[in-house]
Amino acid sequence: MAQRVALVNNKGGVGKTTTTVRLAEALAKTGKRVLVVDMDPQGNASRRLGWAYNPDDAKATISEAIQADRPGAVASVVQPIGWDVEYASRIILAPARLELENRMSEAGVVGAWRRLAKGLEGADDHVDYTLIDCPPSLFHLTQLALAAADSVVIVTEPEYDSAEAAGRVRDFIAQRAVELANPDLELAGVIVNGMQNLGSHADQLAYIRETFGGLVWDPVVRHRSLIVDADGDEVPLSEVRGDKASEVRATYELLAQTMVKAVPTR
Ligand SMILES: Nc1ncnc2c1ncn2[C@@H]1O[C@H](COP(=O)(O)OP(=O)(O)OP(=O)(O)O)[C@@H](O)[C@H]1O
Ligand SMILES: [Mg+2]
């Protein structure tokens, strides 16, 4: 059975999707099997994993699986990723496209918030981790993820608004997990992303450590332009070159180790 982890922040652009994709990659490299569920209508995780929607060979996405409101429905939308590396076979994807926005208007339908949890039932038994990439919101699409997840990992930049939004996520889980019928949902970690040699970043990192204590995972991810390039080019980190390439790969490999310790496979 999979350990389901939702990657969340109320603030946009802090690196939720980068972290989801690179943790999936690092976990797969160590032999773990990973399902990435793209819960963001922007579909950034899907694209960065090399997936593209082809209208001439239309494949169903996570939106249709949620709409189906049926146990195990996610299994019917899972697809291989597009990367050309050996470990890519251990990453599978429930992709998203803009169509997922249409599930938002159904937020008030009875039981709507349970539909991802239901759709994943039995659909991720054969993987070690299900990583759910959330949109920058705490509304319905993220609530679907929170109702389905075993644990939450907050991704934050060492910046004021992002760190404050991370606190909102923690409070939201504490206040709403019971209402989402998921009282055991736990905040498993906080990943700090995009660290630069700035006084303000050092201050905010100290604030984040003070606020979240031992929940802050090591290592902190530094701001590196090759991460943008790899995301833009839809390639695995094993294909990037440059003097920081091995540092970036090592960072995510270490983070994946931290994750395996904090949220062990079942
Ligand atoms: N450590 C990093 N160093 C440099 N660039 C980064 C880093 N992490 C992420 N980025 C880049 O920053 C941009 C935003 O990252 P990303 O899309 O992962 O954020 P997000 O939180 O998922 O955004 P959204 O809220 O829109 O879903 C992307 O271009 C990504 O490649
Ligand atoms: Mg994103």
Side-chain angles (χ1 to χ4, degrees):
M1 218 163 120
Q3 183 66 247
R4 293 185 194 146
V5 181
L7 289 98
V8 184
N9 196 324
N10 193 196
K11 181 159 190 313
V14 297
K16 297 176 291 296
T17 302
T18 296
T19 308
T20 305
V21 168
R22 299 308 162 196
L23 275 178
E25 175 175 16
L27 289 165
K29 276 162 84 173
T30 68
K32 298 275 190 277
R33 296 154 301 167
V34 185
L35 165 63
V36 174
V37 176
D38 191 346
M39 279 302 289
D40 189 338
Q42 297 180 87
N44 295 336
S46 305
R47 184 194 61 76
R48 293 180 199 177
L49 287 164
W51 181 86
Y53 181 70
N54 177 0
D56 297 328
D57 179 23
K59 298 264 190 344
T61 62
I62 193 67
S63 176
E64 289 89 333
I66 292 166
Q67 191 175 29
D69 194 17
R70 178 170 46 77
V74 173
S76 61
V77 308
V78 164
Q79 296 163 50
I81 66 166
W83 290 350
D84 189 18
V85 281
E86 173 273 324
Y87 57 81
S89 62
R90 288 190 289 278
I91 306 175
I92 50 176
L93 171 69
R97 58 194 190 96
L98 193 57
E99 152 73 19
L100 181 56
E101 292 278 16
N102 291 324
R103 304 286 73 77
M104 289 285 289
S105 61
E106 298 159 0
V109 174
V110 175
W113 51 274
R114 279 275 311 153
R115 293 189 296 177
L116 179 62
K118 202 190 274 185
L120 280 169
E121 274 173 33
D124 60 356
D125 285 352
H126 61 302
V127 299
D128 299 299
Y129 287 98
T130 295
L131 304 185
I132 311 175
D133 184 31
C134 292
S137 152
L138 289 171
F139 195 46
H140 186 57
L141 296 176
T142 297
Q143 289 177 23
L144 285 165
L146 296 180
D150 300 300
S151 52
V152 171
V153 171
I154 294 174
V155 180
T156 181
E157 289 180 323
E159 291 180 356
Y160 189 90
D161 287 342
S162 178
E164 205 193 26
R168 282 199 296 279
V169 175
R170 179 198 53 196
D171 296 347
F172 189 84
I173 296 166
Q175 291 160 11
R176 303 290 175 183
V178 170
E179 288 159 33
L180 291 167
N182 198 3
D184 297 332
L185 181 67
E186 62 157 7
L187 175 57
V190 176
I191 294 174
V192 180
N193 180 52
M195 186 77 193
Q196 299 182 63
N197 294 328
L198 301 170
S200 64
H201 277 198
D203 292 348
Q204 286 301 321
L205 179 60
Y207 168 76
I208 291 164
R209 288 197 189 281
E210 208 177 287
T211 307
F212 292 100
L215 284 175
V216 179
W217 284 4
D218 285 322
V220 165
V221 181
R222 298 202 61 80
H223 188 275
R224 296 292 183 220
S225 59
L226 68 79
I227 294 179
V228 190
D229 296 342
D231 285 344
D233 295 345
E234 307 166 12
V235 294
L237 287 177
S238 55
E239 286 181 14
V240 299
R241 301 286 170 263
D243 59 348
K244 297 292 185 227
S246 42
E247 176 216 278
V248 171
R249 282 192 286 269
T251 298
Y252 286 107
E253 281 158 18
L254 290 168
L255 260 185
Q257 285 175 24
T258 304
M259 177 162 175
V260 170
K261 280 192 209 121
V263 263
T265 50
R266 290 159 185 262

